[in-house]
């Protein structure tokens, strides 16, 4: 293990994790400091991120697209997304990184290492849900930046470069499907198919990408990287309920997205007798309830969501003739997810006496295990730091999920308040953010030096 100087900000030579000072955080203060610099001992194991700087960066980024309830609305490829990207690029330039942008608008910021190639990658996304929070994605991006800033503070030269990536349109809110920046790079989507996607106003993905000036030249192909490690809020209640500080993420569950179209017959609300109606909304409502029961039969892991719902022609006194809605099904076991899909399709067929139904699946992400060595690298770091942790799967999709298909990948989770995410009240504490970033720092160092 190479030796490095201690944090110059500390008189005693004791490296502390900034912000961990309140009494309630005493336990973690102990956990953080006991593995950190002690006077007279100088080693890379003692290296600490600056938690206040990380927190300030998260708060500054959250001002771009800030909502009244304290969240963020920064949809992919909007002017606000551009502002967030510009700020991140400015910060990365100040941190002396080399910036490249690929054909998908993914931004790569590289801090050089002793050798030129095979960077160790980290990253996440800056786009949010329409009523999103300050942390989903942003926390991972700014943790990567904080790692780079920390390495700069201590003038540490890593063996391999450290590369921070901002992936385009992870959320899939404005343009469906989700995770397309990493998905194109991994070869899961064709670049031109994604370029042709349109938002609800008919605007094309590629036109919006050019408009915000983030259609780069770098080919969107598989990176020649050593590994990809992403840190993210958990977005569920498991870590908080267990009082654990870190999730060592071992698997990504499977995800399937569908558009369901139900076609009935428009007719007068006051004159059409109930038995002869072909009411598309009533049939769609039955399907939506079936989505719920299909997921419930497969609890605790199964999930089923109807998140978008359009009813035509949209008049109080006309029986709806057409309904189009989205279905999101998830399960960690691919065979079970396949069964859930079959149950959905079979159920829609039982409604054929009322309406025509179509189920168009347009996105499948198969459940997958993360790379064993990367999971173990995170695991070892967490154990060395003495943080309470558990191994877990991710229920949310992440860019790491596509990276896992092409390079060794794993993830680090931290708790979020009440397990709430995709909501303006989404919150993670400064200490939890610091802990995850600290794990990221040491995992990236470990993989870079090994
Ligand atoms: C990404 O946010 C997802 O849908 O899980
Ligand atoms: Mn996310
Ligand atoms: Mn999200």
């Amino acid at each position: 293990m190479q030796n490095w100087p201690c944090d110059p900000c500390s008189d005693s030579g004791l490296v502390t994790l900034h912000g961990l000072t309140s009494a309630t955080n005493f336990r973690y203060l102990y956990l953080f400091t006991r593995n950190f610099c002690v006077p007279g001992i100088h080693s890379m194991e003692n290296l600490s991120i600056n938690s206040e700087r990380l927190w300030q960066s998260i708060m500054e980024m959250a001002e771009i697209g800030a909502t009244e309830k304290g969240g963020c609305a920064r949809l992919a490829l909007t002017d606000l997304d551009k502002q967030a990207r510009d700020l991140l690029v400015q910060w990365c330039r100040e941190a002396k990184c080399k910036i490249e942008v690929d054909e998908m608008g993914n931004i790569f910021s590289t801090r050089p290492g002793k050798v030129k190639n095979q960077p160790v990658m980290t990253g996440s996304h800056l786009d949010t849900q329409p009523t999103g929070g300050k942390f989903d994605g942003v926390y991972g991006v700014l943790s990567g930046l904080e790692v780079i800033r920390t390495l700069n503070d201590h003038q540490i030269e890593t063996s391999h470069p450290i590369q921070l990536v901002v992936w385009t349109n992870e959320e899939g809110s404005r343009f469906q499907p989700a995770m397309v920046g990493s998905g194109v790079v991994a070869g899961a989507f064709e670049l031109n198919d994604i370029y042709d996607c349109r938002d609800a106003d008919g605007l094309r993905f590629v036109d919006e990408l050019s408009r915000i000036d983030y259609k780069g030249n770098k080919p969107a192909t598989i990176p020649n990287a050593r590994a990809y490690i992403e840190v993210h809020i958990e977005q569920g209640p498991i870590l908080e309920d267990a009082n654990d500080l870190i999730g060592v993420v071992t698997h990504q569950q499977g995800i399937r997205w569908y558009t369901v179209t139900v076609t009935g017959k428009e007719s007068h609300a006051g004159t059409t007798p109930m038995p002869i109606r072909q009411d598309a909304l009533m049939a769609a409502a039955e399907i939506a309830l079936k989505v719920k029961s299909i997921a419930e039969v497969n609890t605790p892991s199964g999930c089923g969501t109807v998140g978008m719902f359009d009813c035509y022609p949209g008049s109080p006194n006309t029986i709806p003739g057409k309904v189009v809605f989205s279905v999101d099904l998830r399960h960690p076991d691919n065979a079970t997810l396949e069964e859930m899909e079959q149950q959905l399709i079979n159920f829609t067929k039982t409604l054929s006496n009322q309406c025509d139904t179509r189920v168009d699946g347009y996105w499948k992400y198969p459940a997958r295990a993360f790379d064993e060595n990367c999971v173990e690298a995170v695991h070892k770091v967490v154990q060395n730091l003495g943080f309470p942790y558990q191994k877990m799967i991710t229920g949310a999709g992440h860019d790491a999920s596509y990276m896992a298909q092409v390079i060794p990948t794993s993830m680090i989770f931290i708790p979020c308040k009440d397990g709430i995410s995709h909501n303006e009240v989404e919150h993670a504490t400064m200490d939890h953010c610091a802990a995850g970033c600290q794990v990221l720092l040491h995992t990236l160092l470990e993989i870079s030096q090994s």
Side-chain angles (χ1 to χ4, degrees):
M1 174 70 69
Q2 262 174 290
N3 290 334
W4 303 101
C6 272
D7 186 345
C9 71
S10 162
D11 291 345
S12 65
L14 183 78
V15 173
T16 56
L17 206 60
H18 303 260
L20 293 172
T21 47
S22 71
T24 49
N25 292 323
F26 178 77
R27 177 166 158 252
Y28 292 147
L29 180 62
Y30 164 71
L31 290 170
F32 281 122
T33 54
R34 73 177 180 157
N35 284 299
F36 284 67
C37 249
V38 291
I41 299 176
H42 301 284
S43 99
M44 190 119 85
E45 284 166 36
N46 302 323
L47 193 66
S48 173
I49 61 104
N50 180 333
S51 63
E52 266 165 26
R53 181 171 58 191
L54 170 63
W55 188 256
Q56 286 311 321
S57 303
I58 295 170
M59 293 306 129
E60 196 174 331
M61 189 59 85
E63 288 169 18
I64 303 174
T67 60
E68 269 181 19
K69 291 184 193 158
C72 276
R74 203 167 51 231
L75 297 184
L77 312 188
T78 56
D79 290 350
L80 292 170
D81 186 11
K82 176 180 169 50
Q83 270 183 47
R85 287 161 174 264
D86 288 351
L87 180 59
L88 195 271
V89 166
Q90 179 200 319
W91 283 341
C92 289
R93 286 217 166 98
E94 285 164 7
K96 307 263 180 305
C97 291
K98 179 182 160 204
I99 314 287
E100 294 165 287
V101 179
D102 76 10
E103 301 159 296
M104 271 299 292
N106 300 315
I107 306 166
F108 298 78
S109 303
T110 310
R111 181 181 189 272
K114 281 192 188 109
V115 295
K116 273 205 164 135
N117 52 12
Q118 285 214 306
V120 186
M121 295 171 75
T122 185
S124 198
H125 58 98
L126 291 174
D127 66 317
T128 74
Q129 292 283 320
T131 52
K134 298 186 189 80
F135 299 88
D136 178 0
V138 181
Y139 166 59
V141 171
L142 297 177
S143 288
L145 175 64
E146 178 51 39
V147 167
I148 288 173
R149 286 170 164 173
T150 300
L151 296 174
N152 287 350
D153 290 345
H154 297 267
Q155 295 165 19
I156 290 168
E157 189 181 28
T158 53
S159 297
H160 287 262
I162 303 293
Q163 188 174 66
L164 168 63
V165 194
V166 176
W167 301 106
T168 297
N169 186 36
E170 191 273 351
E171 293 290 9
S173 300
R174 181 178 176 203
F175 296 98
Q176 291 81 43
M179 293 143 57
V180 292
S182 49
V184 168
V185 162
F189 304 113
E190 288 293 333
L191 179 70
N192 286 324
D193 290 348
I194 300 302
Y195 275 0
D196 279 339
C197 288
R198 288 175 191 271
D199 72 1
D201 297 324
L203 296 171
R204 274 172 84 216
F205 184 101
V206 66
D207 297 335
E208 288 294 276
L209 187 59
S210 302
R211 187 185 66 79
I212 66 161
D213 216 11
Y214 274 90
K215 183 168 176 280
N217 297 323
K218 183 180 159 75
T221 50
I222 299 173
N224 178 17
R226 226 166 149 69
Y228 176 82
I229 309 291
E230 180 170 342
V231 64
H232 205 283
I233 56 168
E234 180 207 329
Q235 306 185 274
I238 297 169
L239 291 174
E240 191 178 64
D241 286 354
N243 231 351
D244 281 332
L245 186 54
I246 296 291
V248 176
V249 188
T250 58
H251 290 75
Q252 161 72 62
Q253 76 171 340
I255 309 174
R256 296 191 184 190
W257 281 10
Y258 313 85
T259 298
V260 181
T261 308
V262 182
T263 312
K265 197 192 253 176
E266 287 151 32
S267 69
H268 197 290
T271 58
T272 315
M274 295 306 282
I276 66 162
R277 294 182 179 210
Q278 288 174 263
D279 186 329
L281 181 61
M282 291 302 156
E286 286 189 50
I287 299 171
L289 289 174
K290 185 67 182 178
V291 167
K292 180 170 181 265
S293 71
I294 289 169
E296 281 172 350
V297 166
N298 290 290
T299 49
S301 306
C303 293
T305 304
V306 175
M308 294 163 83
F309 204 92
D310 288 318
C311 178
Y312 303 95
S315 168
N317 49 357
T318 296
I319 295 164
K322 186 175 164 189
V323 170
V324 181
F325 62 100
S326 65
V327 174
D328 172 320
L329 293 179
R330 304 193 188 204
H331 200 281
D333 176 60
N334 285 318
T336 308
L337 190 53
E338 181 66 35
E339 266 173 44
M340 289 166 71
E341 175 178 297
Q342 270 318 311
Q343 286 167 18
L344 172 68
I345 291 168
N346 293 344
F347 181 76
T348 60
K349 288 182 184 155
T350 67
L351 301 171
S352 60
N353 54 338
Q354 299 175 41
C355 293
D356 285 337
T357 55
R358 268 185 72 125
V359 180
D360 294 307
Y362 66 95
W363 183 41
K364 266 187 189 183
Y365 180 86
R368 165 178 285 272
F370 286 141
D371 178 79
E372 272 179 29
N373 293 328
C374 287
V375 171
E376 198 38 40
V378 173
H379 187 200
K380 263 203 196 139
V381 166
V382 175
Q383 284 180 316
N384 285 343
L385 289 169
F387 294 165
Y389 73 94
Q390 65 176 285
K391 291 193 171 178
M392 61 193 304
I393 67 159
T394 169
H398 298 286
D399 296 303
S401 313
Y402 276 127
M403 282 302 96
Q405 296 185 347
V406 289
I407 54 177
T409 291
S410 71
M411 292 191 77
I412 303 157
F413 276 174
I414 60 161
C416 62
K417 189 167 183 300
D418 301 326
I420 295 175
S421 182
H422 286 192
N423 187 311
E424 290 158 273
V425 304
E426 175 187 275
H427 184 72
T429 67
M430 181 163 152
D431 297 351
H432 291 172
C433 289
C437 186
Q438 190 66 19
V439 175
L440 180 71
L441 167 71
H442 286 280
T443 307
L444 295 181
L445 279 173
E446 179 64 33
I447 295 172
S448 165
Q449 312 300 96
S450 63

